[in-house]
Amino acid sequence: MPHEHRHIRSLGIERPHEPYFFGYDEGPAGDGQVRLELLYTGLSAGTELTFLKGTNPYLHSRWDDGRGLFIPGEPSAHFPVNFLGYMEAARVTDARAPGFAPGDVVATTFGHKTGHTADPAHDLLLTLPDGMDPILGIFVAQMGPIAANGLLHADADQFGAAVPFLGAGVQGRPVLVWGGGTVGLFCALFARQAGASEIVVVDPSPFRQDIARRMGFTALAEDDAVRHAKTWHHKVGGRGAEYVFQTRARSDSLHRCLQALRPQGTVIDLAFYQGGLDGARLGEEFHHNGLSIRCAQINRMPRPVAHAWDQRRLAQETLRLLGAEGDLIRQHMITHVVPYDQAPDFLRRLVTERPDFLQVVFQT
């Protein structure tokens, strides 16, 4: 019953390479709160597998937010890691806050938990439109905005504070999207919605290339993509891409991105690198072509537009994209829907067997 205490299970990591379920009891919702029951939760493999493998920087150092520095030798995360995840779709079972009603399906970020009590004054909650497949809600609050923020960085580079619409910076331009995972394909979809003249998704995996092609994009391996980009001739600016959206967390891939740029072009980097950058050679194309690398991280909007754009607005843009492309995304990008109870075993197999996958979703 919605007004009773309940037991919550949370998918976490007990120790390196060992996922498990952690449990705790939760009371009923209070005034101003909304009680949620999990429907779907998406795996953000690029981030969450770093905890499973023990490579996440928070396991080895502490982030000092005031100084913007990691402090080595002072880990801020320890095993067991009881809470992971940020891609949830849930049903409202009790609403003590205005704007929500029992039965609503909302997109939010509370982790791989069977339930959550949210405060709309602090938590990002977006009600899904009638008729939208609830599984698509996993993309709305965080993953879609991560990709949209990449486009927004290109927009701010072109227009400063006067960005007319999301993706304006790539409208009429050819772009490369490096990496055919979830973030990369969302970047490609946002670029298509904005009117990019040509979109090439770059990935060495034939499996991911095939998905990109079925979604209507040109898909190439990395060396082929560099050669293809050099056929894009700018009368004044030289040959190559103005923007490359880099989502593949490998230093050799970053170097290929730099090679694909036109002189004074920019890599918009959304990747999460965990090791060094031995494969990225900054004395070559980066130096001789005067290139730029711009990190686009979801907690930081481009400074010129931070007054007008935030994560909620990017989530609304994601809902708009899902309204147009939702069927295509559901058909091709969600490759595994796994019962929630089987999530630990699936994660073990994901690390040991390394099957082809794109977006994994756990379903209650």
Side-chain angles (χ1 to χ4, degrees):
M1 296 294 292
H3 307 304
E4 296 178 352
H5 283 70
R6 61 177 176 175
H7 185 72
I8 301 294
R9 286 193 298 160
S10 175
L11 175 64
I13 310 296
E14 186 174 24
R15 56 187 184 276
H17 303 285
E18 190 54 44
Y20 85 129
F21 284 123
F22 162 76
Y24 64 96
D25 292 327
E26 182 184 80
D31 289 342
Q33 295 182 326
V34 177
R35 177 179 268 199
L36 303 174
E37 181 180 85
L38 180 69
L39 296 173
Y40 300 99
T41 179
L43 176 70
S44 179
T47 298
E48 294 177 53
L49 293 186
T50 67
F51 284 101
L52 190 60
K53 297 174 182 178
T55 61
N56 192 281
Y58 287 97
L59 294 169
H60 310 286
S61 54
R62 174 178 60 85
W63 174 247
D64 184 327
D65 193 54
R67 291 187 290 169
L69 291 172
F70 275 101
I71 310 301
E74 301 180 15
S76 54
H78 305 267
F79 292 107
V81 179
N82 291 329
F83 302 101
L84 292 169
Y86 52 71
M87 302 171 60
E88 284 69 55
R91 178 175 286 111
V92 175
T93 59
D94 188 20
R96 305 296 181 89
F100 300 92
D104 287 348
V105 176
V106 298
T108 186
T109 58
F110 60 72
H112 303 312
K113 304 190 301 179
T114 54
H116 180 67
T117 299
D119 181 349
H122 301 286
D123 299 324
L124 183 59
L125 300 173
L126 295 102
T127 303
L128 298 190
D130 291 340
M132 179 173 286
D133 189 335
I135 200 170
L136 295 175
I138 67 162
F139 298 115
V140 172
Q142 184 90 350
M143 187 58 76
I146 287 171
N149 194 33
L151 274 289
L152 190 61
H153 275 73
D155 299 342
D157 185 57
Q158 291 290 326
F159 297 99
V163 173
F165 60 89
L166 182 68
V170 302
Q171 185 182 43
R173 286 187 166 92
V175 297
L176 294 176
V177 177
W178 222 271
T182 300
V183 175
L185 288 175
F186 263 93
C187 284
L189 289 165
F190 278 119
R192 181 160 68 191
Q193 182 171 257
S197 62
E198 183 178 353
I199 303 163
V200 178
V201 175
V202 187
D203 202 291
S205 163
F207 172 79
R208 292 191 170 189
Q209 287 184 27
D210 182 60
I211 290 174
R213 292 188 185 105
R214 284 188 276 130
M215 295 183 71
F217 300 111
T218 300
L220 295 173
E222 294 189 302
D223 289 344
D224 293 336
V226 173
R227 287 191 289 269
H228 182 73
K230 294 303 179 177
T231 68
W232 296 339
H233 182 220
H234 304 256
K235 186 174 181 180
V236 175
R239 294 181 180 272
E242 178 75 27
Y243 295 106
V244 177
F245 296 92
Q246 153 67 331
T247 72
R248 194 165 187 260
R250 292 177 56 97
S251 61
D252 54 339
S253 293
L254 175 58
H255 187 66
R256 291 286 188 269
C257 292
L258 293 169
Q259 290 180 319
L261 288 172
R262 60 182 281 192
Q264 297 184 305
T266 300
V267 172
I268 306 292
D269 201 327
L270 299 91
F272 178 25
Y273 304 96
Q274 300 155 56
L277 287 176
D278 294 342
R281 302 175 63 85
L282 301 185
E284 297 181 359
E285 291 83 8
F286 176 78
H287 177 80
H288 288 79
N289 285 331
L291 305 177
S292 298
I293 303 172
R294 182 68 193 272
C295 176
Q297 208 268 359
I298 186 56
N299 290 326
R300 302 189 189 280
M301 306 304 148
R303 187 175 292 175
V305 299
H307 66 288
W309 289 82
D310 60 8
Q311 192 165 341
R312 179 176 293 275
R313 186 170 178 183
L314 295 177
Q316 293 290 352
E317 292 286 345
T318 302
L319 280 172
R320 189 164 69 90
L321 178 69
L322 291 172
E325 302 274 17
D327 290 344
L328 195 70
I329 292 167
R330 177 66 183 90
Q331 182 179 356
H332 298 298
M333 288 181 60
I334 299 176
T335 56
H336 295 74
V337 179
V338 179
Y340 183 82
D341 290 344
Q342 298 175 21
D345 287 339
F346 182 86
L347 289 176
R348 294 186 192 100
R349 293 198 305 273
L350 200 63
V351 172
T352 58
E353 300 174 13
R354 300 181 64 85
D356 287 327
F357 72 96
L358 206 151
Q359 181 60 63
V360 176
V361 181
F362 302 125
Q363 177 182 7
T364 57

